[in-house]
Amino acid sequence: MSQYLSGSCLCGACQFDYTGEIRFTIQCYCRDCQHVTGAGHAPQMMVHRDALMTKGPTKTYRQRADSGSMLEFIFCRDCGSPLLKATSRMPDAIAIYAGALNDPTLFERGKDVFEDARQPWDQA
């Protein structure tokens, strides 16, 4: 089933639009996501990369994950808001951070991943 999603950064300089299937959703508790979001976890929606349209001044930070895969964290260059995340393990997909959605109620909780890094103060 096709779904429309839109979102932006805090300052509004970067926007994205997506129409297509939501492949899956996760709450990632890894330390990388904790650093990126400043929170205990990062809720994400995995979508088809070729259907995501972005505009605005972004900056990409690349880092190798503990798993060995390469990660890309995509932020607004102006305000620093985290928008997207990609992994070399899924080159045809990209994750949208739920907090960047214009309507974050569209996020439906999915699987918890990297729970071994979950902080004791971040319990569901």
Side-chain angles (χ1 to χ4, degrees):
M1 180 179 195
S2 188
Q3 186 166 359
Y4 174 72
L5 303 170
S6 64
S8 68
C9 62
L10 180 63
C11 72
C14 297
Q15 299 92 38
F16 61 83
D17 292 284
Y18 176 79
T19 302
E21 176 189 352
I22 307 301
R23 296 175 71 164
F24 58 87
T25 65
I26 61 171
Q27 291 76 236
C28 184
Y29 292 88
C30 79
R31 287 293 294 145
D32 292 332
C33 283
Q34 291 175 19
H35 282 286
V36 167
T37 63
H41 67 282
Q44 301 164 46
M45 304 172 90
M46 190 63 72
V47 300
H48 297 279
R49 189 177 203 134
D50 60 355
L52 181 72
M53 307 301 289
T54 62
K55 59 182 174 182
T58 61
K59 179 160 178 75
T60 301
Y61 177 75
R62 291 172 180 82
Q63 177 169 307
R64 189 157 307 278
D66 289 340
S67 66
S69 64
M70 204 59 182
L71 299 176
E72 291 183 344
F73 299 95
I74 302 160
F75 303 87
C76 171
R77 188 185 65 207
D78 293 343
C79 70
S81 295
L83 301 167
L84 308 164
K85 180 175 107 179
T87 175
S88 61
R89 292 170 56 178
M90 298 181 71
D92 62 333
I94 193 161
I96 297 171
Y97 285 115
L101 292 168
N102 288 336
D103 182 359
T105 65
L106 295 174
F107 178 79
E108 293 182 15
R109 187 177 180 93
K111 182 179 180 178
D112 290 346
V113 297
F114 299 107
E115 290 183 272
D116 56 328
R118 183 188 293 225
Q119 298 303 314
W121 44 261
D122 187 23
Q123 301 299 319

